[in-house]
Amino acid sequence: MPDPLQTPLQLATLITDFLTQHPHALLTEEGKVLFDFRQTKYTLTTDNRCTLHLWSDDRNLVRRILTATPRAKTLRLTTQKFGQSKPTLLELLADQDRRTPSTREATRTRYLRTLERTLDRHHQDDHWHAKNFSTAMDLEKSFGPAYARGLLTRATQSWAVIAVNQEESPATIDGILTFGLLWLTHCRERQTILGLYLILPPGHATLTLTRLPWLLGTFRLATFDQRAETLTDIPLDGPGNLATRLLHAPNPITAASRFAASQATLMALIPPAFHSLVEPHLRSTTELAFLLHGLEFARIRLTASATSFNRLEQITFGAGPAETALTPETEPALRTLLDQLFHRRTPTAARRDPLYRLQPERWLESQLRRDLTLLDPHLLPTPIYTQVPAFQADSASFDRGMIDLLALTDTGRLALFELKADEDPQLALQGLDYWIRVRYHHTQPTDPQTGLGAFQSHGFFPTHRLSPEDPILYLVAPALRLHPATEIILRHFSPRIPWLLLALDERWRQQIKVVFRKRPTDTPSPHSFQAPTR
C-alpha cells in the first residue's frame, strides 16, 4: 500500500532530485542492474498516483511508486507492477564505482604487492628498495586507499613514491599529482627526501607530464604495466605533448535575433516576477540555455528538419534523462517544474533541499557573473565568458573542457577563474590546467592577415586590446570550504604563475564578500625545492 504520508508529487520529487544529483545512477532489482541512467530515459507522472516509466535500447519498464526511502547514496523504492498486488523493491544507486568493496580492496592489494616486487627488480642494479608501501586510509592527511604510497630507499637516500592502478576512475588517476605532493610534504616532515616519484598506468601520463614543468621540485615519472610487471621511465625534459584546440566563441548579437521568438514563448510560461532571475546562456550557435542560479532548466536548440534543409527551433525542459520537448501536452509538466524550481532554489530556501544544494559551483559562478569587481576592482564587469567550451585535448585522460569564467582586467590582461563551492583538493591543479592552455593560446603568434591573436581571432573580446602579459589565475572558494591541500599545492607553483586565492564569506548565495586573499608572495616555496630547468 502507498505510504499515506508521501503524496505522488512528493514521491516524484524525491526521485527527480536523486537522479538530478546522480545522473549516472543505476536501478537494480534483487541486486541485478536493470537500467544505467547514462543510457536511460524516464518520465514521472503524478495523476492520482506516482508512475515511473523507464526505457533504454533493450528494456522498457513501468511501475507505480508506493514509497521512496532515502539512504546513503541510495533511494529505495517500493513499487507495484500493473495488474499485480504484491509490491516489489527497486533501488537507485548513486555510487559510480561499480565494483563491490571487496573487489576494490582485492584489486588494490594485488596491485600494491606487484608494484613493490616490480620496483625492487627494476632498480636492483642501483640498489634501491621499495619500503613501507601502504594503501591505508588517513583522513587527517587526506590520503585514501586508491593510491599506493611508500618510499624507494638506498642507504640514507629516499624518494617519496605514489602510484595508482588502471582500475581506478579517470578522475582518481588524474588526481595523483595532488596527492603525490601531499605525500611528499608528509614524508619531508620526517626525513630528507630527494623528490617525488609518480607511477601511473600506461597511456595516462600526459596530464601529469603537462603540469610538472610549472611546479617546483624534483620529480620522476613512470608508467607501470601491471600484467607484464614492467616500469617504463618517462623523460621530463622532452618537448611535452600539449594538444589543445581553441573553439570559436558564438556571437551573442546574432543569437539574440535567431532565438528571439522561441525565447519569448518560453518566458511567457514563467511568472513575470521571476523574469529577472532567469539567465540566458549561449552555449553554441545552435543552443541557448536558460538557468536559475546556475542550474539549467530549459534550452532552445536548432535541429535539422526532416522535410527540408531548414533548421527548426525546439524548446526542451528538464535535464539529462528527464529532458522533455515542450508541447501543448507537456506544458503542465513545465509549469510544475518552474513552480518547484523558483520556490525551492532561492538563497533563503531550506539548506537540505536538493534543489538548493544542487550544482553549487554553477550557483557561485552565476553570482560572480553579476559583478566580478566584488572579487577584484581591477576586473572589468564585461565581457565575461562563462563555461567556455574552449579546449579539446587529444589525451584520453584530459577531458575537462570548460573554463568556469574568462574575463579581463582593466589593463587588458586575461583573467581566468577556477571555482569550488565544496572542499576539493584538486582546486589548484585544475586551475593550473586551464591556465596552461589559456597561456598557450594567448602566446601563439598573431595572425599576419588580421593582426589578431588566437583569442580575438576566435571571437573572444572583439572590442578590447589584450595585454601580452601572462593570464592571471583566480582560485575562488568559500573560506570554510577551502581544502587544506590547496595552500600546500600552491607552495609548489612556479613563480612564473600569477595566481590569486580568494576566500569568500559563507553567505555567498546572498552576497559576494571576500574575507581573505593570498598571493604568491604570501605563500613562500619550500626552501628545499629547486626551480625546474626544463
Side-chain angles (χ1 to χ4, degrees):
M1 294 293 293
D3 185 340
L5 299 179
Q6 289 183 301
T7 66
L9 181 59
Q10 289 171 332
L11 291 169
T13 300
L14 283 170
I15 296 170
T16 300
D17 289 346
F18 185 90
L19 292 174
T20 303
Q21 293 183 78
H22 308 292
H24 296 166
L26 298 176
L27 182 75
T28 66
E29 183 175 35
E30 297 181 350
K32 179 183 177 182
V33 176
L34 299 182
F35 291 94
D36 182 334
F37 278 83
R38 292 175 297 182
Q39 295 92 31
T40 300
K41 294 285 187 180
Y42 76 93
T43 60
L44 280 160
T45 57
T46 56
D47 298 332
N48 298 322
R49 57 189 177 189
C50 179
T51 303
L52 174 63
H53 179 199
L54 304 109
W55 67 95
S56 63
D57 290 341
D58 57 357
R59 183 175 282 118
N60 192 4
L61 179 145
V62 179
R63 295 284 176 88
R64 180 185 178 188
I65 308 300
L66 305 180
T67 67
T69 307
R71 299 193 174 187
K73 293 188 177 182
T74 303
L75 185 64
R76 181 168 290 183
L77 306 175
T78 305
T79 71
Q80 190 175 50
K81 296 180 181 179
F82 289 102
Q84 297 186 14
S85 59
K86 184 179 179 181
T88 58
L89 185 66
L90 300 178
E91 285 190 313
L92 285 168
L93 307 179
D95 194 348
Q96 296 185 22
D97 192 336
R98 310 306 163 96
R99 298 174 296 171
T100 65
S102 60
T103 300
R104 282 198 300 267
E105 183 178 357
T107 298
R108 291 165 178 170
T109 300
R110 186 165 56 251
Y111 174 81
L112 185 67
R113 303 301 169 232
T114 308
L115 175 66
E116 288 180 297
R117 184 167 62 246
T118 305
L119 278 169
D120 282 338
R121 186 172 61 250
H122 185 76
H123 295 284
Q124 62 184 349
D125 292 343
D126 298 325
H127 307 292
W128 291 94
H129 302 285
K131 181 181 177 182
N132 298 336
F133 270 76
S134 172
T135 57
M137 182 175 291
D138 186 342
L139 296 179
E140 183 181 354
K141 298 294 183 181
S142 300
F143 298 138
Y147 300 103
R149 310 174 303 278
L151 298 173
L152 191 66
T153 64
R154 181 178 66 184
T156 60
Q157 298 178 315
S158 295
W159 285 85
V161 182
I162 188 166
V164 62
N165 74 74
Q166 62 186 5
E167 298 300 322
E168 303 297 341
S169 69
T172 299
I173 295 173
D174 284 352
I176 188 173
L177 185 53
T178 291
F179 291 97
L181 293 174
L182 296 180
W183 176 239
L184 175 65
T185 302
H186 174 75
C187 293
R188 279 188 166 151
E189 292 172 353
R190 288 157 175 75
Q191 64 188 92
T192 301
I193 298 292
L194 296 176
L196 178 62
Y197 189 172
L198 299 132
I199 301 174
L200 294 98
H204 290 272
T206 300
L207 179 59
T208 301
L209 189 60
T210 301
R211 291 168 166 177
L212 288 179
W214 297 98
L215 300 178
L216 303 177
T218 304
F219 301 99
R220 297 179 67 175
L221 182 63
T223 58
F224 174 41
D225 186 327
Q226 187 176 353
R227 178 172 296 181
E229 296 194 15
T230 56
L231 276 168
T232 303
D233 295 315
I234 306 296
L236 303 182
D237 55 357
N241 188 30
L242 182 62
T244 177
R245 180 167 64 93
L246 187 62
L247 304 183
H248 204 280
N251 188 317
I253 298 176
T254 304
S257 173
R258 178 186 301 127
F259 294 114
S262 294
Q263 183 170 350
T265 299
L266 179 62
M267 294 301 291
L269 299 173
I270 300 174
F274 300 129
H275 280 194
S276 62
L277 299 177
V278 177
E279 308 164 276
H281 173 50
L282 188 60
R283 298 210 179 280
S284 69
T285 57
T286 61
E287 182 174 352
L288 178 65
F290 295 85
L291 300 83
L292 172 65
H293 300 308
L295 179 63
E296 183 177 327
F297 64 88
R299 63 214 55 82
I300 304 169
R301 290 195 186 96
L302 293 181
T303 60
S305 170
T307 58
S308 70
F309 292 105
N310 296 327
R311 290 199 166 191
L312 304 176
E313 292 184 17
Q314 181 186 52
I315 302 175
T316 65
F317 62 92
E323 184 175 350
T324 304
L326 178 62
T327 65
E329 292 74 25
T330 62
E331 184 178 313
L334 173 58
R335 293 185 182 276
T336 299
L337 170 66
L338 294 174
D339 182 67
Q340 291 192 43
L341 191 63
F342 283 93
H343 286 93
R344 293 170 55 195
R345 190 173 176 82
T346 69
T348 57
R351 294 193 175 189
R352 296 179 64 87
D353 191 310
L355 283 179
Y356 175 90
R357 294 186 287 111
L358 195 62
Q359 297 185 10
E361 287 167 21
R362 301 288 75 81
W363 193 331
L364 176 58
E365 174 193 298
S366 73
Q367 288 286 83
L368 297 179
R369 276 200 306 270
R370 296 178 186 276
D371 190 357
L372 272 181
T373 63
L374 295 174
L375 292 182
D376 185 341
H378 295 291
L379 291 166
L380 295 181
T382 58
I384 301 171
Y385 298 92
T386 176
Q387 287 296 291
V388 180
F391 307 117
Q392 292 183 347
D394 293 340
S395 167
S397 64
F398 186 84
D399 59 3
R400 292 185 297 273
M402 297 286 180
I403 308 171
D404 288 334
L405 296 171
L406 184 65
L408 288 179
T409 68
D410 52 14
T411 62
R413 193 171 185 178
L414 286 169
L416 64 146
F417 298 77
E418 178 66 13
L419 314 176
K420 297 294 181 187
D422 293 311
E423 287 187 88
D424 190 333
Q426 303 296 343
L427 169 63
L429 287 185
Q430 286 183 5
L432 175 61
D433 291 338
Y434 293 124
W435 183 87
I436 291 170
R437 284 157 175 79
V438 169
R439 180 185 180 276
Y440 170 81
H441 289 289
H442 183 51
T443 56
Q444 292 304 293
T446 302
D447 187 318
Q449 294 184 341
T450 64
L452 299 177
F455 276 98
Q456 290 185 309
S457 65
H458 284 77
F460 294 88
F461 310 107
T463 62
H464 291 75
R465 182 181 179 86
L466 302 189
S467 166
E469 293 181 284
D470 281 345
I472 301 174
L473 171 60
Y474 287 80
L475 303 169
V476 185
L480 299 182
R481 300 293 188 271
L482 267 176
H483 195 282
T486 302
E487 294 192 54
I488 296 175
I489 303 305
L490 288 173
R491 293 173 197 159
H492 295 80
F493 270 29
S494 165
R496 299 164 59 193
I497 305 169
W499 57 265
L500 186 62
L501 177 64
L502 303 176
L504 306 179
D505 184 277
E506 289 297 309
R507 293 160 294 189
W508 56 264
R509 285 181 174 86
Q510 287 84 25
Q511 181 182 11
I512 294 294
K513 181 180 179 181
V514 179
V515 295
F516 73 81
R517 308 166 185 264
K518 286 199 173 184
R519 295 176 173 83
T521 54
D522 303 324
T523 312
S525 300
H527 68 275
S528 57
F529 281 33
Q530 297 179 354
T533 57
R534 53 188 180 279

